[in-house]
Amino acid sequence: MTDRISHWIDGKPFEGVAARAGEVFDPATGAVRAKVDFAGPAEVEQAVAAAARAFPAWRDTSLAGRTRVLFAFRELLSARKHELAKIVTGEHGKVESDAAGEVARGIENVEFACGAAQLLKGGFSENASTGVDVYSLAQPLGVVGVISPFNFPAMVPLWFVPNAIACGNTVVLKPSEKDPSAANFIAELFAEAGLPDGVLNVLHGDKVAVDGLLEHPRVKAISFVGSTPIARYVYETGTRHGKRVQALGGAKNHMVVLPDADLDLAADAAVSAGFGSAGERCMAVSVVVAVDPVGDELVAKIAERISRLRVGDGRRPDSEMGPLVTAAHHERVESYVDAGVAAGAALVVDGRGVEVDGEDGGFWLGPTLFDRVGPEMSIYTDEIFGPVLCVARVAGYADALDLLNANPYGNGTAIFTNDGRAARRFQNEVEVGMVGVNVPIPVPVGYYSFGGWKDSLFGDSHAYGPEGFHFFTRTKVVTSRWPDPSQGGVNLGFPRNT
């Protein structure tokens, strides 16, 4: 008998009868691990209603009370982080060391949210006019929705949920139906930490659940991470229904290697950033831009490193790269390898039919390397979201910059060089939201904010950090006067600041 993964509503597993259910697979074996309940309109309504009931009391909970829960949650999460990493590996497939890193980055965001008392301070101007004080308040929005992707089932919810509840909001979290158990685990830890019933609710499902949150009049804001077409849909649908929306989309991240770079360091970085989590990262390096004359040597170094990678079940300690998340996604990624060959790119390393340390039924595709990739090829233009690394060759720095800035995505990029002037020029001129200098995956630490430009972000606010707190609050300005009884009288003139 397979396990059943239920919604988490109003502080406990939802005991209703699911009208529909999906299957959760073990990516390393292809076997069904569990059935997950899919929400219909009734379940969406129950989750939102639970969050709405909990909001007034949570909004009025003191900052000390809110942060006390967050500190307790942080301690529980730190103590049980290995359990969460194992859950991620079992359903997503990434190796446990990668899953542990994901959880660690999520804990960073919890720790930032623990500073809510400092972050929610407003401004105050005494005697702005005679006897008049003006001050600002940062107040919560109400019920907010969080829609998270399959590739980071622990970290992305931890980008949004701690900040949202620290600001006094209540949350309905809709994780990916492909790996939903991490969200329930997080909700259980929050409950153990003392979070009141209804402040965090977990709703599983597909487009029905997503549309239910986007269209529900009591949901005030939506945070989303996923592909660009869906991010655009979420942004347009949510804003059309009067919601504040931050929708983080896809990417095609480039890594520029200048001729003066340390090529061993660059090759290590390209392999690590290209094939970690089997390339299922919105911050993965998917295009290495080799500036003449380093192309031949760099490609050889990357290929040599790929040959030593161990592909296998993420639960096995020797595995360095695991399977893809589902059979359908495996089929999609493999089709891009076929397309790259058909388009005339040089296939240096072919990951199809890779020998693995795992079951034959797993969703396996080995690291794949293409050279001499042109900007007209689908393996260059599309976000593949798998272990496929492309090398494009250009004559100089200006050509590399033009290639990057012409791309419709603007999530992350990196430059490898020992020339500080070139690096400084690059960070100024490149049209991308997150830049690494000799750092291949420039994901900001928890006290900065994450987000790209162009088609990688819809909305004005980046995720977590200071912008996250700004997104989950709205400002109210109070003008106050306590009049002296000796003052008074009617004055129909426009109020003047004197």
Side-chain angles (χ1 to χ4, degrees), residues 77-382:
L77 182 57
S78 296
R80 300 180 65 184
K81 60 187 177 183
H82 298 298
E83 292 179 56
L84 181 54
K86 288 180 182 296
I87 290 171
V88 171
T89 294
E91 291 186 351
H92 175 273
K94 65 180 68 176
V95 299
E96 285 190 10
S97 60
D98 193 16
E102 169 183 348
V103 175
R105 293 305 296 266
I107 292 173
E108 279 187 16
N109 293 292
V110 178
E111 291 169 346
F112 181 81
C114 287
Q118 176 71 21
L119 295 162
L120 294 175
K121 291 195 307 186
F124 188 95
S125 296
E126 184 182 18
N127 219 35
S129 184
T130 304
V132 175
D133 301 327
V134 180
Y135 52 97
S136 62
L137 309 173
Q139 296 191 322
L141 306 176
V143 179
V144 301
V146 173
I147 303 169
S148 64
F150 73 79
N151 59 322
F152 287 105
M155 185 179 72
V156 171
L158 293 173
W159 279 4
F160 298 114
V161 172
N163 284 357
I165 66 174
C167 292
N169 302 282
T170 55
V171 180
V172 179
L173 167 62
K174 207 300 284 183
S176 171
E177 66 278 14
K178 296 178 178 68
D179 44 12
S181 295
N184 279 28
F185 185 85
I186 289 169
E188 291 167 8
L189 290 189
F190 263 117
E192 188 176 344
L195 191 70
D197 294 350
V199 175
L200 172 60
N201 308 276
V202 179
L203 200 62
H204 299 293
D206 53 7
K207 189 175 183 294
V208 174
V210 170
D211 286 346
L213 294 175
L214 293 176
E215 297 171 4
H216 200 292
R218 300 185 81 171
V219 176
K220 303 302 181 184
I222 295 288
S223 296
F224 171 87
V225 177
S227 68
T228 285
I230 306 302
R232 182 181 286 110
Y233 171 81
V234 166
Y235 179 75
E236 292 174 352
T237 306
T239 54
R240 188 168 66 249
H241 286 84
K243 302 183 193 327
R244 180 181 293 187
V245 180
Q246 52 180 176
L248 283 69
K252 197 71 180 180
N253 302 319
H254 294 62
M255 185 180 112
V256 177
V257 182
L258 296 186
D260 69 301
D262 181 325
L263 294 189
D264 287 313
L265 178 67
D268 288 342
V271 173
S272 299
F275 302 118
S277 194
E280 294 172 328
R281 293 173 175 162
C282 67
M283 289 294 285
V285 167
S286 52
V287 180
V288 174
V289 183
V291 178
D292 286 343
V294 304
D296 289 346
E297 185 178 0
L298 181 60
V299 168
K301 288 179 179 291
I302 292 173
E304 189 273 332
R305 285 159 172 77
I306 290 175
S307 69
R308 301 199 304 264
L309 288 180
R310 296 185 297 273
V311 179
D313 189 328
R315 291 162 293 211
R316 298 181 181 177
D318 290 340
S319 296
E320 294 175 291
M321 192 185 94
L324 295 171
V325 67
T326 63
H329 187 57
H330 172 273
E331 182 178 345
R332 176 184 178 276
V333 175
E334 193 169 70
S335 73
Y336 276 105
V337 181
D338 299 337
V341 172
L347 182 58
V348 180
V349 180
D350 188 350
R352 296 170 297 184
V354 64
E355 292 187 12
V356 298
D357 182 14
E359 302 291 335
D360 291 339
F363 311 134
W364 304 107
L365 180 66
T368 299
L369 176 64
F370 281 104
D371 189 15
R372 301 187 183 277
V373 174
E376 75 287 349
M377 299 178 181
S378 64
I379 57 173
Y380 177 83
T381 59
D382 297 357

Side-chain angles (χ1 to χ4, degrees), residues 4-16 184 188 202:
R4 176 188 176 189
I5 303 169
S6 302
H7 314 296
W8 179 278
I9 299 176
D10 213 9
K12 57 184 179 297
F14 183 67
E15 297 177 354
N184 279 28
E188 291 167 8
V202 179

Side-chain angles (χ1 to χ4, degrees), residues 101-102 104-109 112 155 159 248 282-283 411-413 432-436 439-452 462-467:
E102 169 183 348
R105 293 305 296 266
I107 292 173
E108 279 187 16
N109 293 292
F112 181 81
M155 185 179 72
W159 279 4
L248 283 69
C282 67
M283 289 294 285
N411 208 44
T413 190
V432 170
M434 293 170 285
V435 180
V439 174
I441 306 177
V443 177
V445 293
Y447 43 89
Y448 281 82
S449 296
F450 179 104
H462 290 178
Y464 67 78
E467 290 192 49

